[in-house]
Amino acid sequence: MKKSQHRSLSPYRFPDKKGHFGEFGGRYVAETLMPALKELEAAYQKIKGDASFRKEFQSYAADYVGRPTPLYFASRLSEATGHRVYLKREDLCHTGAHKVNNTLGQILMALRMKKKRVIAETGAGQHGVATATMCARFGLECEVFMGDEDIRRQSLNVFRMKLLGAKVTGVSSGSATLKDAMNEALRDWITRVQDTYYCIGTVAGPHPYPLMVRDFQSVIGKEARKQVQKQTGRLPDYLMACVGGGSNALGLFFPFLQDKRVKIIGVEAGGDGLSSGRHAAAIGGGKPGVLHGQKSYLLQDPDGQIIPTHSISAGLDYPGVGPELSFLHQAGRIDFVSVTDKEAMAGFDWLTRLEGIIPALESAHALGFLKKSAKKLKKNSIIVINLSGRGDKDMGTVADYHGVSL
């Protein structure tokens, strides 16, 4: 990174008052949604300085979610790679993934804003489950929009959401995946802004969502920073995380952005390979555009139309990435790479057999990158990987991949 770019990140004060991270972010929405977004922004600014909110959030994070999550030294993985590999165990959170950090914060906000109904979009179902869980805990009506293709791939999480009392609404338009579920959730919100809170699951969407979700998820990196220093006596050489919209990645990365010696690697879903056109690597294969109320890197055709995506992982099967990650890519602070479905599955099998930990297919992308790149990294490095979720939800997909009938 150039010195001028380093200065742009120190001190780090993004987004600006209008929700921009450099040229990215902002609010590209219909006028009918502007009052709701401004109401949300005002509520968030108020709770940020509210000691009682922080105390309540921290109490539920500890006693209900299970924070802090461990930073686990993966000894057999370390032996196999020649590095010291640590896993931030977000898979041990209640509901099985990092998503609950954000839904806890947003549902507590919904209660303060006196909203009776909560809606959400979901891809792999982890955000849907986390939202449904928090709505059940606090007695709120919940509806989750989910693409029909993802409903097919993630039937277990659909059943979990219904058990928790949520209504799961299938979306058949477009590719019937996460993009289309988010489209439908935004349409619903426009019609019921008075009584409905829209709980977005990633660091995307119109301002203030990218800011809010980043802040709620940054608990991951804050804990990891303290834990790795306690266990090793210093900061890591590398941080690695999978990137779809980017909430687990930015949650880990954000507290380390100004530590220039820490190399940060975001791993996108390469699908069948970037040259195949069947992938979900928005930064590796996309360009700036506008979708879902934000300007960011998107997969689009020459006319600016969003193109179909593909990933073995439903949670990464999205044609864009959060605006802050787009900015950090342009600034040179984060290196973005991609791994294919095959490489991700190799990472999945690798961790399962070496450490007895079955990761989500999203997290397996970061492990797949480590597996293929370990020899190219600085020798004897300390590496922290965000294990963003557990793999229970993916057993059907994994079984199909291996040709096994369940």
Side-chain angles (χ1 to χ4, degrees):
M1 186 187 297
K2 297 176 182 178
K3 290 183 179 180
S4 61
Q5 292 172 322
H6 276 308
R7 284 197 295 270
S8 72
L9 298 181
S10 182
Y12 193 79
R13 292 174 180 160
F14 292 97
D16 64 18
K17 292 181 179 179
K18 293 185 178 180
H20 289 97
F21 302 85
E23 70 174 278
F24 301 105
R27 286 185 182 132
Y28 296 84
V29 296
E31 289 184 10
T32 50
L33 273 183
M34 288 301 289
L37 289 168
K38 289 180 178 179
E39 177 192 22
L40 180 62
E41 181 183 13
Y44 184 61
Q45 291 302 324
K46 183 177 180 180
I47 68 102
K48 283 185 72 173
D50 186 339
S52 67
F53 180 89
R54 290 197 301 273
K55 183 177 180 180
E56 185 176 20
F57 179 88
Q58 290 165 359
S59 175
Y60 281 110
D63 299 335
Y64 192 69
V65 174
R67 305 212 70 87
T69 57
L71 184 71
Y72 167 73
F73 175 61
S75 59
R76 296 193 68 206
L77 212 61
S78 297
E79 183 179 356
T81 61
H83 303 292
R84 284 183 282 172
V85 180
Y86 293 82
L87 305 176
K88 183 58 174 161
R89 295 292 306 276
E90 294 300 292
D91 59 312
L92 297 180
C93 286
H94 178 45
T95 74
H98 72 291
K99 294 293 188 180
V100 72
N101 303 319
N102 170 51
T103 59
L104 169 60
Q106 289 204 56
I107 298 309
L108 291 177
M109 282 187 59
L111 291 169
R112 281 165 168 72
M113 295 172 71
K114 303 189 185 305
K115 304 293 185 181
K116 303 295 185 183
R117 175 175 178 261
V118 174
I119 62 172
E121 84 296 329
T122 197
Q126 289 301 106
H127 175 59
V129 168
T131 304
T133 297
M134 286 301 165
C135 286
R137 171 61 185 82
F138 293 106
L140 296 173
E141 179 186 350
C142 180
E143 182 171 359
V144 179
F145 295 90
M146 189 172 189
D148 286 345
E149 172 64 13
D150 290 336
I151 287 175
R152 182 191 66 78
R153 291 193 287 187
Q154 299 293 336
S155 58
L156 176 60
N157 272 346
V158 174
F159 185 55
R160 292 172 74 193
M161 286 182 268
K162 291 179 178 179
L163 284 176
L164 289 159
K167 177 183 178 182
V168 180
T169 298
V171 179
S172 59
S173 59
S175 59
T177 56
L178 182 55
K179 168 183 70 71
D180 311 291
M182 195 166 186
N183 287 341
E184 200 61 35
L186 284 165
R187 291 189 190 103
D188 180 278
W189 194 32
I190 288 174
T191 67
R192 296 190 58 175
V193 293
Q194 295 302 317
D195 71 338
T196 296
Y197 184 98
Y198 180 17
C199 183
I200 289 181
T202 193
V203 286
H207 179 65
Y209 283 106
L211 166 66
M212 288 169 40
V213 179
R214 177 198 77 189
D215 287 351
F216 288 136
Q217 291 292 4
S218 66
V219 65
I220 300 170
K222 290 174 182 176
E223 288 178 4
R225 186 184 174 86
K226 293 178 181 178
Q227 291 166 325
V228 72
Q229 289 185 98
K230 182 177 181 180
Q231 292 185 44
T232 71
R234 66 179 180 87
L235 293 177
D237 298 289
Y238 296 94
L239 301 177
M240 297 178 188
C242 64
V243 176
S247 63
N248 96 90
L250 201 52
L252 174 65
F253 298 163
F254 184 71
F256 292 88
L257 287 180
Q258 295 188 69
D259 300 305
K260 301 172 186 177
R261 294 183 179 178
V262 178
K263 293 181 173 61
I264 302 179
I265 299 172
V267 186
E268 295 190 291
D272 293 336
L274 298 191
S275 62
S276 73
R278 281 175 45 82
H279 62 83
I283 286 181
K287 59 184 179 180
V290 175
L291 178 67
H292 295 148
Q294 60 168 8
K295 183 177 181 182
S296 188
Y297 270 81
L298 306 172
L299 292 173
Q300 52 193 308
D301 66 20
D303 296 322
Q305 298 299 308
I306 301 303
I307 61 176
T309 57
H310 164 75
S311 173
I312 197 170
S313 163
L316 302 183
D317 202 352
Y318 181 68
V321 67
E324 188 165 9
L325 291 169
S326 295
F327 168 74
L328 292 166
H329 160 67
Q330 275 202 353
R333 183 62 186 98
I334 298 178
D335 293 327
F336 285 87
V337 298
S338 66
V339 302
T340 64
D341 290 347
K342 182 178 180 180
E343 290 165 340
M345 282 304 310
F348 177 97
D349 292 338
W350 193 46
L351 181 66
T352 300
R353 292 168 184 171
L354 284 181
E355 295 288 348
I357 299 171
I358 301 176
L361 285 177
E362 291 81 14
S363 312
H365 283 69
L367 293 157
F369 174 75
L370 175 64
K371 189 175 191 298
K372 76 173 185 176
S373 305
K375 293 180 180 179
K376 300 176 184 178
L377 303 177
K378 185 175 68 175
K379 292 184 178 180
N380 301 314
S381 291
I382 295 174
I383 300 169
V384 173
I385 296 177
N386 197 12
L387 196 66
S388 58
R390 65 176 182 241
D392 307 40
K393 66 182 179 61
D394 296 314
M395 289 300 97
T397 302
V398 173
D400 287 346
Y401 182 86
H402 287 301
V404 176
S405 178
L406 294 180

